[in-house]
Amino acid sequence: MEHYFGDNQYQGVSHLKGATGIYQERFSTVADISDHLSEVCDLGTTEFAFTCTARMKDAVSDVCKLRNLNLHPCLPYAHDVNSKISSLGLPAALRAEIASVGARNFVRAIVEFPVKRYQALWEILIVSQLSGIEISKIKSVGLLNVAFDFLLGLGRYDVINAFHCAVKSLTGKNTWFYTMNCAQAIDVLTEAKMTDATVVSNINTAGFRMNPSQGQVLSALKKANRPSVIAMSVFAGEGLSHDFQKLINNIELQGILFGGADLAKVAKNIEWCQTHSRVS
Amino acid sequence: MPISAVIIGGGRIALSHLPQIMSSKNMYVGAIVEPSLSSRILLRLLTRCRVYKSIDTIDLSDFDVAYILTPPASHFHIAQTCLNNGVSCFIEKPMTISGERTAKLSSLAREKGLHLQVGYVYRYHPIFKELMKIVREESFGKVKTLSVEFFGRIEKGGDNSWRNKGVASGCIIDYGSHAIDLVCAVLGDITLVSVDTILKEPATGVVDAFDATLTSQNDVSINVKCNWRMRNYRKATLKATVVFEDGTTITASTDNTILKNGEKLFGLSNLVTDVPFYLRGEEFANQQIELERAVRSLGSFDCHGEKVFSQNICVDTVIEEILEHA
């Protein structure tokens, strides 16, 4: 089973263990991150999914000088989005974003809007967020749940589709959609014929954040002609284990996304993935 | 028939509520009211809902519920107008900035048989619901002391929001209301004993931190500490520590764990947290579910609602008293 290494520990995010403070201290510099990531690469990881922040892009750039790593950047950084909108309000936050992508690029997107609609806006945002990342190493571009689930809730499937089209037109690569609403995401993407996209969502034995319920998510996963799915938050409950294997019985998964600060545990999880196939 | 909603206030918190509301098959957003033209344009583009400049331009009686998501100083008048038009209200916290006004709104809602709910979202957080259950069932005996901390890091540069200017500015209202409501949710009505520390930003006089002592109706000693200028906090974190008579300490936190005497008792993944739609957290979804339940059961006596009315008044009274010290 393919494994993808994630960056939650580098961002100080710890949904299950309450280790936020520990992670923030351990990975406080770019060198801390790139050193750890290099060691993870040496354990056999070749795929890395990360949020596009300046810090992460610097760390990735360092690691890629000496190691072969396929990159799966995703956007936007939730903390930045929340912070900007909280302190500036939505219109001013958008103006700040326009300033960061450049007024000329924004005008071009507006000119193209009648034809390309939201794809034009996504394209300038994606180009801005991916700047500094070696394009040849990018294998997918992801839309994080802060944005995807926001649009899903509003019913703006057209804007989601526009992101998908923007990624394809700019990079020719796969689109990943991160979501806490797996069943609905699969249904919406299938209905909108975005079955070449990938859904990244929680799948674990505890049913942790498998919404609306573990049962409904597993049913959605068994549907034919659906988008690919990558499992994340797999350590809630029994972790990567015989029980997990049983849970995903007869379900095809593209792979598993996990992070971790403890290299021994990361090694063990990599080994599990290497010894288990994508279809049970 | 879906519940018809009007959203009053199209700022930051509206962006958290709108997807939660619009994703629900039980809800229909009939209108959004927002005074800023640029915000109205963006909201119209995003939501495809009808947008209006003020509540004077809509017929409030068309709606079952109003989500009042405006700055706190405006809550009383808007809520009073809505209730007088037969519209139940969800109001972002605090309900008002005066215990007396909160009591008036509660009384009006009761008289009209309408639902009144405040956005004290942590009441609906699975970890804190579990804590409330432990206390209610006296799983570890009676409560001796309770301390609540709400720490975070607000970015101040360029912030012209109501958080930093005006009568409702400062962390007493923004953080304190959440912390004090959690105390009420765990222990019931409380009274202020003393305000022990107030820290203000020298340039603006805005309160950045405070520390207060309170007591419950059955004499439990309570300490509340809030600080929104903690550098090492990536996001706002609410933590409640309860000491029981038998010496057990339980700490519950938005880090999604409950510790007993320092050891992990359980985490979020040990609880059933399924929600129909997840955006910012289970607590937001659970809060919405409660609103829908309450609006659908209008007319039937709701003792839970009565208890919460009392606690809302209590929170705003205590907040008002702390503000007097600032």
Side-chain angles (χ1 to χ4, degrees):
Chain A
M1 174 118 46
E2 186 71 79
H3 79 272
Y4 304 86
F5 193 67
D7 72 341
N8 270 0
Q9 63 284 344
Y10 305 140
Q11 306 284 7
V13 172
S14 175
H15 297 299
L16 292 171
K17 293 196 297 190
T20 304
I22 297 168
Y23 287 159
Q24 280 180 318
E25 208 178 302
R26 169 122 185 238
F27 299 112
S28 57
T29 67
V30 169
D32 292 335
I33 297 170
S34 53
D35 286 348
H36 184 267
L37 184 55
S38 298
E39 290 188 88
V40 172
C41 289
D42 293 342
L43 293 172
T45 287
T46 56
E47 314 287 329
F48 180 52
F50 63 99
T51 307
C52 292
T53 62
R55 212 166 79 112
M56 283 311 311
K57 286 197 272 187
D58 286 345
V60 161
S61 172
D62 284 347
V63 173
C64 285
K65 284 174 189 156
L66 292 173
R67 285 171 179 75
N68 231 359
L69 201 53
N70 292 320
L71 305 178
H72 302 271
C74 42
L75 58 117
Y77 182 36
H79 183 70
D80 265 356
V81 170
N82 288 331
S83 188
K84 271 188 190 142
I85 296 177
S86 286
S87 59
L88 302 174
L90 181 60
L94 274 174
R95 281 196 291 275
E97 202 56 39
I98 289 165
S100 75
V101 303
R104 187 184 291 180
N105 287 327
F106 182 70
V107 166
R108 198 183 77 225
I110 295 299
V111 166
E112 291 176 345
F113 192 84
V115 174
K116 283 172 113 175
R117 306 290 289 173
Y118 294 99
Q119 181 180 334
L121 293 169
W122 279 126
E123 281 177 0
I124 57 164
L125 184 67
I126 290 168
V127 165
S128 163
Q129 293 271 305
L130 296 187
S131 76
I133 302 173
E134 206 181 316
I135 296 290
S136 62
K137 293 192 177 293
I138 294 175
K139 299 301 171 212
S140 78
V141 180
L143 186 64
L144 286 168
N145 48 304
V146 64
F148 178 80
D149 285 336
F150 176 76
L151 294 168
L152 195 70
L154 293 179
R156 294 309 302 268
Y157 310 149
D158 58 324
V159 182
I160 292 172
N161 193 26
F163 180 85
H164 185 50
C165 294
V167 169
K168 270 207 254 189
S169 95
L170 281 176
T171 68
K173 304 296 180 186
N174 192 13
T175 316
W176 285 13
F177 291 119
Y178 289 75
T179 180
M180 295 292 168
N181 302 288
C182 188
Q184 187 181 354
I186 288 174
D187 286 345
V188 164
L189 295 176
T190 306
E191 179 77 28
K193 300 191 186 346
M194 283 185 270
T195 50
D196 54 340
T198 297
V199 170
V200 185
S201 195
N202 289 9
I203 299 169
N204 51 72
T205 57
F208 175 64
R209 289 185 176 160
M210 289 177 72
N211 296 308
S213 72
Q214 190 182 58
Q216 284 169 274
V217 169
L218 294 174
S219 293
L221 290 170
K222 286 176 180 157
K223 287 181 180 171
N225 304 319
R226 57 152 172 84
S228 302
V229 175
I230 293 173
M232 65 176 182
S233 274
V234 294
F235 303 127
E238 302 302 318
L240 293 176
S241 60
H242 177 70
D243 285 341
F244 182 77
Q245 189 74 29
K246 234 169 99 177
L247 183 77
I248 60 171
N249 192 30
N250 292 327
I251 291 170
E252 183 171 341
L253 290 180
Q254 178 176 321
I256 292 175
L257 170 66
F258 60 85
D262 183 331
L263 288 169
K265 285 184 182 164
V266 170
K268 197 171 153 205
N269 294 327
I270 292 173
E271 194 195 331
W272 190 96
C273 291
Q274 286 169 343
T275 53
H276 289 78
S277 67
R278 55 194 280 170
V279 180
S280 299
Chain B
M1 197 61 180
I3 297 169
S4 168
V6 54
I7 313 298
I8 304 174
R12 161 74 182 92
I13 203 66
L15 299 177
S16 293
H17 285 287
L18 275 161
Q20 201 72 66
I21 300 164
M22 292 176 74
S23 66
S24 170
K25 292 180 174 52
N26 302 318
M27 301 293 304
Y28 166 70
V29 175
I32 301 174
V33 178
E34 165 53 46
S36 152
L37 175 62
S38 50
S39 293
R40 281 203 302 283
I41 293 169
L42 288 169
L43 287 165
R44 171 76 184 159
L45 277 173
L46 264 175
T47 66
R48 293 185 287 206
C49 293
R50 292 181 182 191
V51 290
Y52 298 88
K53 192 173 172 182
S54 90
I55 57 175
D56 298 331
T57 56
I58 57 174
D59 185 351
L60 281 168
S61 62
D62 284 343
F63 303 99
D64 300 310
V65 64
Y67 287 77
I68 300 170
L69 310 178
T70 54
S74 62
H75 289 175
F76 176 74
H77 290 293
I78 296 172
Q80 191 179 49
T81 305
C82 290
L83 292 169
N84 280 329
N85 278 275
V87 185
S88 290
C89 294
F90 172 94
I91 310 177
E92 261 300 338
K93 51 80 182 164
M95 192 188 291
T96 73
I97 48 177
S98 144
E100 191 187 328
R101 286 186 156 191
T102 295
K104 276 190 184 154
L105 288 180
S106 304
S107 189
L108 184 55
R110 194 186 290 108
E111 176 197 316
K112 301 269 183 188
L114 296 169
H115 181 60
L116 192 58
Q117 184 172 331
V118 188
Y120 288 126
V121 71
Y122 293 108
R123 284 178 171 254
Y124 302 96
H125 192 294
I127 284 288
F128 292 117
K129 282 174 70 173
E130 202 59 29
L131 175 68
M132 287 183 237
K133 187 177 163 208
I134 289 171
V135 169
R136 191 172 60 242
E137 293 178 358
E138 296 185 355
S139 306
F140 301 111
K142 290 195 188 308
V143 175
K144 215 164 126 184
T145 67
L146 167 65
S147 74
V148 173
E149 291 175 354
F150 197 10
F151 293 157
R153 189 181 72 200
I154 294 270
E155 299 300 337
K156 282 282 191 85
D159 188 352
N160 283 318
S161 78
W162 56 266
R163 283 190 177 82
N164 283 331
K165 290 199 308 198
V167 297
S169 63
C171 90
I172 293 172
I173 286 185
D174 199 32
Y175 275 28
S177 58
H178 272 307
I180 291 163
D181 180 71
L182 184 65
V183 171
C184 285
V186 174
L187 291 178
D189 287 356
I190 53 172
T191 48
L192 181 68
V193 172
S194 60
V195 177
D196 307 313
T197 316
I198 296 256
L199 291 176
K200 295 185 185 182
E201 187 183 350
T204 59
V206 168
V207 174
D208 282 343
F210 76 93
D211 185 335
T213 301
L214 305 103
T215 186
S216 72
Q217 285 184 329
N218 47 359
D219 296 326
V220 172
S221 173
I222 303 156
N223 178 252
V224 170
K225 279 188 178 63
C226 296
N227 188 329
W228 70 3
R229 299 290 275 153
M230 304 287 279
R231 286 185 183 280
N232 53 335
Y233 277 75
R234 183 180 160 271
K235 58 188 261 191
T237 302
L238 184 62
K239 185 166 88 171
T241 300
V242 186
V243 176
F244 294 86
E245 276 184 330
D246 69 359
T248 309
T249 304
I250 299 290
T251 300
S253 164
T254 43
D255 277 345
N256 295 329
T257 51
I258 288 192
L259 306 177
K260 181 184 167 196
N261 293 334
E263 297 291 320
K264 186 174 170 181
L265 185 60
F266 51 78
L268 199 61
S269 61
N270 300 115
L271 305 171
V272 175
T273 57
D274 296 345
V275 292
F277 182 80
Y278 180 111
L279 181 62
R280 276 185 68 184
E282 289 83 6
E283 61 272 27
F284 284 88
N286 291 335
Q287 174 177 256
Q288 176 63 25
I289 291 165
E290 169 57 20
L291 177 101
E292 291 174 22
R293 181 207 67 78
V295 170
R296 287 226 182 277
S297 61
L298 281 179
S300 48
F301 178 66
D302 184 349
C303 65
H304 169 73
E306 284 300 320
K307 190 170 68 175
V308 174
F309 273 170
S310 170
Q311 288 173 8
N312 289 335
I313 296 166
C314 187
V315 171
D316 290 349
T317 302
V318 168
I319 291 284
E320 200 177 4
E321 288 169 355
I322 297 175
L323 280 169
E324 281 166 12
H325 286 80

